[in-house]
Amino acid sequence: RRLDRGGLEGLVMLILPFRRIIPSAFPPVTPGSMAWTTPGTYTFTVPAHRNFNYDVRGAGGGGQGPGGMVITTPPFGMTFNPGGTGDTGGTSQVYLQQNPALLNVIGFGGQGGANQATGAAGTAQGGDQNITGGGAAGGAGGYLASGDSPVQSGYGGYGARATRSHLRGIILIGQTLVINVGTGGAPGGYGANSTPFNFAQSPGAYGSNGAVYISWS
């Protein structure tokens, strides 16, 4: 007997009454990103993802403090006193709380300025790319204006930068990432200075704070 369309569909359902749609093994992914630029420690719950990307930047070192000039005798000799060494910038980091050995991306801070020279740049580890000095900027060195012989103190070194990407399965949905953002290094103190001759001193500057950026898709 000839079947119309409706009868044919009914026959198929009768023959295959238990057919079903197999759900996807993975939940849907909503791409997104997060940025942490204020120093401190944070946590982040891993969302559904196909891949994850990290960009970790260490803080810059503090600038060296301004030098000073001291008048000495006999008559009117001068002694230069260098400014204090700037502080090292703070470390920025992201790691997997459940297993830091599996995921731990670190950008160390730059060294402080000293001896009228720029501080050493920070190094990085744990990334696909570990870029020495690729992170936050160091602070400017202090400045001494002493007649015809101005003296510029050393700048703080740049922090490091580490970047990493990985596919789904390295970390799991619902696990916790711990994020640390480093603080920029403080500038060094003033060198001793004789006030009667009013040698002008400009302070050193703080290094820039670190940062951590995460994105997923």
Side-chain angles (χ1 to χ4, degrees):
R1 186 178 59 170
R2 184 177 179 181
L3 295 174
D4 60 17
R5 180 178 176 83
L8 181 61
E9 290 178 351
L11 180 61
V12 170
M13 291 302 295
L14 180 64
I15 296 172
L16 301 172
F18 303 111
R19 70 174 183 171
R20 62 178 180 173
I21 297 174
I22 300 175
S24 170
F26 301 103
V29 173
T30 301
S33 62
M34 292 286 292
W36 294 267
T37 57
T38 301
T41 300
Y42 310 87
T43 57
F44 178 68
T45 301
V46 176
H49 62 278
R50 295 183 185 88
N51 56 67
F52 240 84
N53 306 290
Y54 310 87
D55 187 344
V56 179
R57 306 182 188 189
Q64 182 183 3
M69 297 292 290
V70 172
I71 306 303
T72 59
T73 56
F76 304 114
M78 291 186 182
T79 299
F80 174 71
N81 295 297
T85 299
D87 289 343
T88 299
T91 298
S92 295
Q93 179 182 22
V94 56
Y95 65 90
L96 183 63
Q97 187 179 64
Q98 286 80 5
N99 188 356
L102 183 64
L103 176 70
N104 192 4
V105 186
I106 303 173
F108 294 102
Q111 300 292 308
N115 302 318
Q116 277 61 61
T118 299
T123 59
Q125 64 185 48
D128 299 323
Q129 288 188 304
N130 298 307
I131 307 167
T132 298
Y143 190 81
L144 170 69
S146 57
D148 296 328
S149 302
V151 180
Q152 173 71 58
S153 293
Y155 279 57
Y158 274 74
R161 182 182 181 188
T163 62
R164 179 173 174 178
S165 299
H166 63 73
L167 298 176
R168 176 166 49 201
I170 299 297
I171 58 178
L172 304 178
I173 298 171
Q175 289 186 316
T176 301
L177 297 177
V178 179
I179 294 97
N180 293 317
V181 177
T183 302
Y190 286 63
N193 192 45
S194 289
T195 55
F197 288 84
N198 295 316
F199 297 120
Q201 291 173 299
S202 297
Y206 281 82
S208 298
N209 294 326
V212 174
Y213 304 95
I214 293 176
S215 64
W216 61 94
S217 59

